[in-house]
Amino acid sequence: MLQEHIRNIAIIAHVDHGKTTLVDQLLKATDAFRANQQVEERVLDSNDQERERGITILAKNISIDYKGVKINVIDTPGHADFGGEVERVLKMADGAVLLVDAAEGPMPQTRFVLTHAIQAGLQIMICINKIDRDGANPEKALNDCLDLMMDLGADDEHLEFSMEHVVYASAVNGYARLDPNDGNDNMYPLLDMIVNDLPAPDADLEGPLAMQVVTVDHSDYVGRIGIGRIYSGTIHDGDRILVVKNDGSRAMSQVKQLFTFDYLGRKECQEVGAGDIAAVVGVDSTDIGDVYTDPENPVELEPIEIDPPTLAIVFEPSTSPLVGRDGDIVGGRQLKERLEQERENNVTMRIEELPDKTGVEVAGRGILHLSVLMEEMRREGFEFQVGRPRVLVKKDENGNKVEPIEQAVVECPGEYAGKVIELFGNVGGTMSQMDTGATQTHLEFKIPTRGIMGLKNRILNVTHGEAVFYHTFLEYGPYAGEIGGRQNGAMISMSTEKAVAYALGTLQERGTLFVGPGTECYEGMLVGERSKPGDMVVNVARTKSLGNQRSSTADIAVQLTPPRTFTLEEAMEYIMDDELVEVTPKNIRMRKRILNETERRKWRVRHGMVDK
């Protein structure tokens, strides 16, 4: 039976095409805020990192009320590293709004989120956003969307629905239009189309209870909170329910509190009926995929499978000579406890202690996925060190090694296309498509995840900063063999002292510096990159020898180029196997695993490695 008073919709898009801004405008259009209420932009991106990075990391649920219909809106992440969120939350929706930038058209991660929406059988309406932007071409963007849907296997019925349900919008200016030039200045055309044309949930209110958990929230007061859609029946506060796990195991539990979504918050209620989305408190150690059902008439639902992690990294307690200067949590035990807590709250990561107890291995969907956790921890006051990310290689049914393969897209001026193709060729990439436009060339590659590490900076260097680079996980493919790492050697500090301008002035002629005058350096720390292969130990504290006579001309001041700085992701992609990234609340430093030069040489001799 259709629940006409409810709509469950997901908003899907590539990173930075305006999903969260659009949700802001839907909230304003339905009077979610008081007339005098101060409202921040991108109100759903409540996490500090979401605001700073300008991306959605966690899927969010809100509900709005329009013409007597409750619209449950799911704001999904657009970045493939958070794909685990997208796959699951789409199970709660009956329809989706595909948001596409009118100037850029569909991008690699549009393909990623759209693939999941089509596989889930959702009816998809298209919203061409940013029609006021310079270079906007709404008609081309729409045709590209329909072509992409055909490529991804959408059937005729879904294609026809999408062709007939198109809205043109400028989310930042707060309007949606059925025609780009019709002059409407509000969001009601989009809301009307959602209510009138997207399907209502088909659910049996009288049947046995069946609810599946797709998101797990966590509260320090009540523990885990299972969030999911009710497919049949009604759940009441205080009900005794049967919990069926993904592995088939069963246990009885009791609903202690029940919430439904109400605008930006949750509202406690006594019952929630089929077709709606509920948050349930009381099921200990609830997990994604759990089915809450009637003990007398249990209902079976398809288990939820989460895509496996593709990258792993080892967290270790910091052994830096400067440990404890910036952070106040430096012990191995606290690090392990924090990561075990993360394992409870974050089911998309695999977190296991190493057999020798020297560290904890964390596996995730990509560099960004892992760096979000590290950034969170350093803000909490942790100091730790991590090694180079390791790609998780598997074996197929024939026993052959397979590794994660990514689809990479580069858009750059035509004059640089040859250099970009050469870069990809050096790291195992193969070109799958090339489109030459009037000013820009569009290149697509298939490349092992190992080859992606550190590639972005090299692409920006050879294109003089004019390239746009995106990549997304595609599949597991044949192992590509050895892939070359960093070409240039590192400059390594020989002592624990502050860097001096005079010494840096002579060193910058030999390569690129990572530190400026007055920076605290220590023995074994990476202070720069050579312009040649092979590491070089340098003295960053060398001062000018002064005689007892005055110079006939005044000393010329040392002209220093600003040092190159690294984000967490860039530092992890830059280091080699014998190097570490030291993470503190105030600094990100790169260092050799063995700090002493003599010890490093002995280690290299023992392992049959000879300096170039």
Side-chain angles (χ1 to χ4, degrees), residues 95-270:
V97 177
L98 173 66
L99 203 62
V100 176
D101 188 307
E104 293 182 355
M107 297 294 277
Q109 280 141 18
T110 311
R111 169 184 283 269
F112 167 78
V113 288
L114 190 54
T115 302
H116 288 300
I118 290 170
Q119 286 171 353
L122 303 185
Q123 295 281 26
I124 296 163
M125 55 182 278
I126 297 171
C127 179
I128 306 296
N129 192 26
K130 304 189 185 183
I131 58 171
D132 56 327
R133 181 179 167 181
D134 287 344
N137 188 340
E139 192 176 332
K140 181 178 184 304
L142 174 60
N143 289 333
D144 288 348
C145 285
L146 295 170
D147 288 346
L148 179 58
M149 288 181 71
M150 286 177 67
D151 286 351
L152 296 176
D155 60 30
D156 292 345
E157 183 192 332
H158 281 84
L159 278 169
E160 201 172 307
F161 182 90
S162 299
M163 286 169 70
E164 292 170 1
H165 296 87
V166 182
V167 174
Y168 301 90
S170 170
V172 75
N173 292 313
Y175 63 77
R177 300 168 176 174
L178 299 179
D179 182 293
N181 305 310
D182 73 5
N184 178 65
D185 63 353
N186 57 48
M187 298 302 292
Y188 297 135
L190 175 58
L191 286 162
D192 286 332
M193 195 177 282
I194 289 170
V195 167
N196 297 334
D197 300 317
L198 281 180
D202 188 2
D204 180 8
L205 277 172
E206 304 303 320
L209 172 66
M211 169 182 164
Q212 189 163 36
V213 175
V214 296
T215 307
V216 175
D217 201 355
H218 188 272
S219 160
D220 291 339
Y221 303 105
V222 296
R224 287 188 161 204
I225 303 168
I227 299 169
R229 173 174 166 169
I230 301 169
Y231 292 96
S232 72
T234 303
I235 190 166
H236 303 84
D237 191 4
D239 274 356
R240 293 282 294 166
I241 56 172
L242 178 68
V243 180
V244 182
K245 297 275 187 190
N246 264 353
D247 61 6
S249 61
R250 302 178 170 215
M252 292 296 295
S253 196
Q254 183 169 14
V255 178
K256 291 179 181 169
Q257 276 180 300
L258 187 61
F259 297 88
T260 186
F261 290 89
D262 183 41
Y263 287 100
L264 284 169
R266 294 180 194 151
K267 180 174 71 176
E268 190 165 359
C269 53
Q270 293 304 306

Side-chain angles (χ1 to χ4, degrees), residues 389-436:
R390 175 177 68 86
V391 169
L392 298 173
V393 176
K394 301 196 300 190
K395 293 213 168 162
D396 62 13
E397 51 275 14
N398 301 320
N400 299 319
K401 277 168 79 172
V402 290
E403 66 176 330
I405 306 291
E406 311 240 345
Q407 181 191 26
V409 174
V410 179
E411 300 212 352
C412 65
E415 65 209 82
Y416 303 126
K419 290 180 179 177
V420 171
I421 293 167
E422 185 183 345
L423 271 182
F424 274 88
N426 291 338
V427 289
T430 53
M431 190 165 68
S432 54
Q433 189 180 334
M434 179 176 181
D435 296 321
T436 307

